[in-house]
Amino acid sequence: MIAHALPKRVALVPEQQFAQPPANWTTDGQLFYCLEPSVEGLKQATLENANYRVRVNNPHDDILGLRNGTFSFGRYVAGIPNSAAPGQQCPDGPDRILYQTALGGARRGYAAAFTGEGTPAQPVVDAEHFELLEVDDWIFAFNTAAQRGEFHRIDAKLDGNALQLDRPLAFEPTANDVAKAVLMAYFDQHALTKHDDPGHLTLGLLFRGEEGPDDIYEALGAKLSMTLEAIQPGALVSARFEGQCARFRHEEPELDGVTLEGLPAGNDPVVSSIGDETLVKMATFGQPLADIPILGSLEPKVGITHKPVAGVNGLEGVQGYVGDGWGECGVSFSTYHSKACRQEFVGRVRKHLLLQVGIASQRAIGMYWPSLSYREDPGRGVQTDLTASRLVFRGHERMASSEIGRSSLLFLFAN
């Protein structure tokens, strides 16, 4: 049999104990869809045996070294399937695990029903559902009649079960409309810098090819770093996860019986950027967001990578991981040329920006930068034969009482 080069079944499991395999991959492993998985970096190091040679051309065998390794895979950035009813929490799944592993924090929000009372800026939700929502949570406010939704942040909870939102809804809420649940992934400072923090996740991953027991690789004590592809009009939104592991296994006989049967968890990812609206809203920090035109592509930067905490008493020399790469979170894009951008650059004006790809429930995704500073002079350039300014921003935290509220970048997944 000639096997295909890419692994055909990929599963993950959050580790209960660092770099220890699950009791049973077949039952505990969670299959997930991904793009172009690669395990070429899962190789054991070797050390030269430097003892003197009895004969000049007769070296000693190398000594087997550490079993650290690297791997990678991509994943479409898409909404969360199996919509939660009002009062229920956003379903759990591989996205929550992957993004929490890479960014440090993830929260599964709750869905709530609008009552039809209040105003677009302060809509009222059902009393029981109101108690489940928290300040700095995001909702996907869905207009049932128009079949259209937008992401909104909860800035305050008011008397009478009203929500103070970051900006008014684009519609008059009725009793038929819903604040759908949102999966929120964010930078958690504690989880990123303390590998013994409860929110700090490491994974076990299993890659199974077509050759059965001869083509199975298990990565243990794995940590992910994430990058995003440039967001192009009409293109698929995708992320790339680069992983490193404390140890891997390949030849062990206990892997021979792993089958990984069935379909991956959740639905086949629904691509949100084809045929749907893409919204980009920006404003001066503290002001309500407003639409801004984007020329060409938009390039987001995540900026958080991880490096192993090395130690002689670690497992294969690794005790855990710590976040690295601080300060590179940001976003850049081109817009119509205006001297106002240059004035803001000189005046050191802070901005905030919301990108939303798609308007449908279970499909839409969002990225929000709460505080952005200009990194470069916007200048005057050309984009698609139009006079344009290139805006390059660096992300900052904002003052808030919660880790999710302070995060310099949030990923939002509509449910």
Side-chain angles (χ1 to χ4, degrees):
M1 176 183 177
I2 299 176
H4 194 277
L6 294 180
K8 291 300 184 181
R9 313 288 281 172
V10 184
L12 62 80
V13 61
E15 290 181 334
Q16 302 299 314
Q17 185 177 353
F18 181 63
Q20 297 302 312
N24 188 320
W25 268 110
T26 301
T27 57
D28 298 339
Q30 184 173 161
L31 285 163
F32 65 97
Y33 290 102
C34 62
L35 308 169
E36 298 181 342
S38 172
V39 295
E40 295 177 8
L42 295 182
K43 296 180 179 180
Q44 187 168 10
T46 56
L47 302 172
E48 182 180 358
N49 187 337
N51 276 329
Y52 73 88
R53 304 175 183 180
V54 176
R55 293 179 59 81
V56 173
N57 229 18
N58 187 30
H60 301 285
D61 288 344
D62 285 341
I63 300 169
L64 294 180
L66 298 177
R67 295 172 67 91
N68 307 153
T70 60
F71 58 90
S72 67
F73 58 86
R75 183 167 172 83
Y76 288 130
V77 186
I80 306 299
N82 307 319
S83 185
Q88 294 183 344
Q89 194 172 22
C90 181
D92 202 2
D95 283 303
R96 192 275 303 171
I97 298 169
L98 292 172
Y99 282 85
Q100 183 175 347
T101 305
L103 305 180
R107 172 170 163 77
R108 295 157 51 211
Y110 288 85
F114 290 118
T115 64
E117 300 170 324
T119 66
Q122 297 181 357
V124 176
V125 298
D126 181 273
E128 292 185 6
H129 308 158
F130 180 80
E131 298 302 322
L132 301 172
L133 303 176
E134 295 185 7
V135 172
D136 289 329
D137 274 358
W138 285 74
I139 59 172
F140 188 65
F142 193 70
N143 183 340
T144 303
Q147 289 293 292
R148 176 190 180 92
E150 290 189 17
F151 291 104
H152 287 265
R153 186 183 65 225
I154 300 173
D155 283 346
K157 296 174 69 174
L158 308 175
D159 293 338
N161 304 319
L163 303 176
Q164 177 70 54
L165 301 179
D166 64 314
R167 66 190 190 281
L169 300 176
F171 59 94
E172 291 285 343
T174 72
N176 293 323
D177 299 322
V178 182
K180 291 190 174 283
V182 173
L183 170 65
M184 297 154 277
Y186 57 94
F187 298 145
D188 186 316
Q189 179 77 7
H190 301 290
L192 286 171
T193 57
K194 301 177 181 179
H195 58 272
D196 59 348
D197 186 86
H200 182 98
L201 291 188
T202 57
L203 303 179
L205 292 108
L206 192 120
F207 303 86
R208 189 179 192 276
E210 294 177 334
E211 288 288 0
D214 287 335
D215 198 7
I216 296 178
Y217 277 83
E218 177 190 56
L220 300 170
K223 196 66 175 173
L224 305 175
S225 299
M226 185 181 70
T227 56
L228 288 164
E229 300 293 330
I231 297 175
Q232 308 274 0
L236 314 184
V237 182
S238 62
R240 191 74 188 171
F241 292 92
E242 304 287 337
Q244 51 192 313
C245 62
R247 65 171 177 146
F248 71 91
R249 302 196 304 169
H250 170 55
E251 73 281 3
E252 282 75 1
E254 56 262 41
L255 296 177
D256 294 353
V258 177
T259 58
L260 298 182
E261 299 297 336
L263 291 174
N267 298 334
D268 193 352
V270 178
V271 177
S272 57
S273 61
I274 301 298
D276 278 343
E277 292 185 45
T278 296
L279 311 176
V280 184
K281 298 177 180 290
M282 188 172 74
T284 299
F285 181 82
Q287 299 298 315
L289 292 164
D291 293 333
I292 179 174
I294 301 295
L295 299 174
S297 64
L298 181 145
E299 299 176 12
K301 280 189 176 182
V302 179
I304 297 296
T305 57
H306 295 87
K307 59 184 177 183
V309 178
V312 293
N313 60 340
L315 180 61
E316 297 286 330
V318 178
Q319 297 177 350
Y321 299 90
V322 64
D324 193 13
W326 315 115
E328 293 305 313
C329 166
V331 62
S332 58
F333 56 87
S334 293
T335 187
Y336 297 119
H337 178 65
S338 169
K339 69 177 182 180
C341 297
R342 164 73 182 167
Q343 291 170 337
E344 290 177 342
F345 168 73
V346 173
R348 315 313 293 153
V349 173
R350 291 284 182 96
K351 311 290 283 188
H352 64 131
L353 184 145
L354 172 66
L355 165 73
Q356 178 177 321
V357 183
I359 58 172
S361 173
Q362 304 180 58
R363 295 186 57 162
I365 62 168
M367 300 173 203
Y368 178 65
W369 292 265
S371 180
L372 294 168
S373 65
Y374 284 88
R375 291 201 69 180
E376 298 178 7
D377 187 332
R380 182 187 188 278
V382 176
Q383 178 74 38
T384 322
D385 292 332
L386 297 172
T387 306
S389 292
R390 184 69 180 173
L391 309 187
V392 181
F393 293 105
R394 167 181 282 172
H396 301 268
E397 293 185 348
R398 73 180 181 97
M399 295 298 294
S401 59
S402 62
E403 285 294 321
I404 189 171
R406 284 193 292 266
S407 181
S408 57
L409 170 61
L410 287 95
F411 289 86
L412 310 170
F413 304 85
N415 177 238

